[in-house]
């Protein structure tokens, strides 16, 4: 028991060292990973303009004008939102635009009825909430010399909601298979999901999930190995960048911490 506690303490110390040494780089990497799916999809709207327009027209029978408007809205909204997030300009507006795009695509592509895609889109919304939480931290730090009237409640609840929604990504990775490796993956993944959700050993748990997700993402979603003429390439690319965005959200959790509504925060008061 003592050996396990020492090992856990050592792992937490390593995680803290990683965070301290990368504190100036980590938020930028997290933001870039997080907006990657929007950046890729915005560019896809540009390079596959005719295909996307024709698909929407065929799917909804909405006509040339509305189908074109849909593609244009996705292109401008996603690329514009990405630029604003990266430059940290009006981040709240950028997150609102990207949130609108996620909801719009959920309806337009009938993702609402596809459990796996719906869970991933919810995780994507969680990642956006963490970006919004980070912008509120920065806004508060500008007034560092002004006495605070209490906790930053909006930031706290944004972190909590974002953290919980991120976990939906991992629900899609669980498989009901009886192989030894799959059972281990399900058990370990479930434990880490619970730890991130309740905010216990949060930075360590999130870092392990980042490592695990990266391995799974590069192994299962290697879209660059598929010829460009095969439809599977686009599906894998979509999954790859969505997963990368959730990784960005987890890195944001590592950078910001779990927030006030978490076991890690309550432990400090004991």
């Amino acid at each position: 028991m003592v050996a396990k506690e020492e090992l856990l303490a050592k792992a937490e110390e390593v995680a803290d060292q990683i965070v301290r040494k990368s504190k100036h780089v980590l938020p930028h990497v997290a933001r870039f990973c997080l907006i990657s799916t929007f950046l890729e999809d915005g560019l896809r709207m540009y390079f596959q303009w005719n295909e996307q327009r024709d698909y929407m027209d065929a799917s909804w029978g909405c006509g040339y004008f509305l189908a074109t408007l849909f593609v244009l809205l996705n292109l401008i909204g996603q690329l514009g939102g990405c630029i604003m997030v990266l430059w940290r300009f009006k981040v709240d507006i950028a997150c609102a635009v990207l949130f609108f795009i996620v909801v719009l695509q959920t309806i337009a592509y009938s993702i609402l009825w596809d459990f796996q895609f719906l869970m991933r889109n919810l995780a994507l919304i969680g990642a956006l909430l963490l970006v919004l939480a980070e912008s509120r931290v920065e806004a508060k730090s500008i007034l560092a010399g002004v006495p605070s009237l209490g906790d930053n409640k909006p930031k706290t609840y944004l972190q909590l909601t974002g953290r919980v929604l991120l976990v939906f990504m991992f629900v899609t990775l669980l498989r009901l298979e009886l192989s030894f490796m799959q059972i281990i993956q399900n058990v370990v993944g479930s434990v880490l999901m619970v730890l991130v959700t309740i905010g216990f050993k949060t930075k360590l748990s999130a870092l392990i999930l980042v490592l695990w997700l990266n391995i799974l993402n590069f192994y299962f979603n290697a879209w660059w190995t598929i010829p460009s003429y095969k439809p599977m390439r686009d599906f894998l690319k979509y999954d790859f960048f969505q997963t990368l965005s959730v990784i960005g959200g987890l890195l944001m959790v590592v950078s910001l911490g779990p927030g006030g509504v978490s076991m890690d925060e309550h432990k400090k008061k004991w």
Side-chain angles (χ1 to χ4, degrees), residues 6-265:
E6 290 178 354
L7 182 62
L8 186 59
K10 183 65 176 177
E12 283 190 277
E13 184 182 339
V14 171
D16 286 336
Q17 287 178 357
I18 292 173
V19 174
R20 281 196 298 269
K21 290 180 179 179
S22 61
K23 64 180 180 180
H24 298 298
V25 179
L26 190 58
H28 301 288
V29 174
R31 278 191 295 272
F32 182 77
C33 288
L34 199 149
I35 59 95
S36 62
T37 190
F38 297 105
L39 184 61
E40 185 275 332
D41 197 53
L43 292 173
R44 184 164 56 89
M45 291 293 168
Y46 176 78
F47 289 109
Q48 298 181 5
W49 178 281
N50 293 332
E51 293 92 329
Q52 293 296 321
R53 182 198 59 212
D54 294 343
Y55 174 80
M56 289 308 301
D57 187 16
S59 298
W60 290 90
C62 56
Y64 182 89
F65 176 75
L66 288 179
T68 301
L69 186 62
F70 173 83
V71 176
L72 182 63
L73 189 61
N74 274 272
L75 190 154
I76 295 175
Q78 290 185 105
L79 295 184
C82 289
I83 292 170
M84 291 169 73
V85 168
L86 289 176
W87 264 262
R88 288 181 280 182
F89 176 74
K90 301 290 184 181
V91 176
D92 52 343
I93 296 175
C95 287
V97 171
L98 294 175
F99 174 80
F100 171 74
I101 295 295
V102 172
V103 174
L104 180 64
Q105 290 191 355
T106 300
I107 297 170
Y109 293 120
S110 301
I111 291 173
L112 198 60
W113 315 117
D114 188 310
F115 178 77
Q116 182 168 340
F117 282 110
L118 180 61
M119 292 297 101
R120 293 191 175 200
N121 272 16
L122 287 173
L124 200 55
I125 290 172
L128 286 174
L129 292 178
L130 290 169
V131 173
L132 190 56
E134 185 207 22
S135 72
R136 287 181 175 271
V137 171
E138 291 174 351
K140 187 177 180 182
S141 67
I142 294 173
L143 303 175
V146 179
S148 175
L149 297 177
D151 292 335
N152 190 339
K153 292 294 184 183
K155 182 204 75 172
T156 296
Y157 292 123
L158 283 171
Q159 286 179 269
L160 172 63
T161 309
R163 205 173 66 232
V164 171
L165 289 178
L166 276 181
V167 170
F168 284 113
M169 167 60 76
F170 302 98
V171 175
T172 67
L173 299 177
L174 299 178
R175 298 286 186 273
L176 298 177
E177 298 176 9
L178 295 179
S179 65
F180 177 75
M181 288 305 299
Q182 187 62 54
I183 292 173
I184 294 296
Q185 180 177 308
N186 287 348
V187 171
V188 174
S190 298
V191 170
L192 291 172
M193 283 191 290
V194 171
L195 292 177
V196 170
T197 303
I198 65 177
F200 182 68
K201 309 291 184 185
T202 314
K203 292 185 178 181
L204 176 60
S205 302
L207 278 175
I208 294 173
L209 281 175
V210 165
L211 179 62
W212 181 42
L213 258 187
N214 267 306
I215 293 171
L216 293 178
N217 200 26
F218 279 89
Y219 182 77
F220 289 111
N221 297 324
W223 56 270
W224 53 89
T225 63
I226 307 297
S228 58
Y229 62 86
K230 291 190 175 181
M232 182 56 69
R233 181 184 175 95
D234 281 342
F235 285 111
L236 290 180
K237 185 187 286 189
Y238 177 83
D239 281 352
F240 179 87
F241 283 102
Q242 270 219 328
T243 305
L244 193 60
S245 288
V246 174
I247 289 170
L250 286 169
L251 289 174
M252 198 67 76
V253 170
V254 174
S255 176
L256 292 177
V261 186
S262 63
M263 289 190 67
D264 285 345
E265 191 66 27

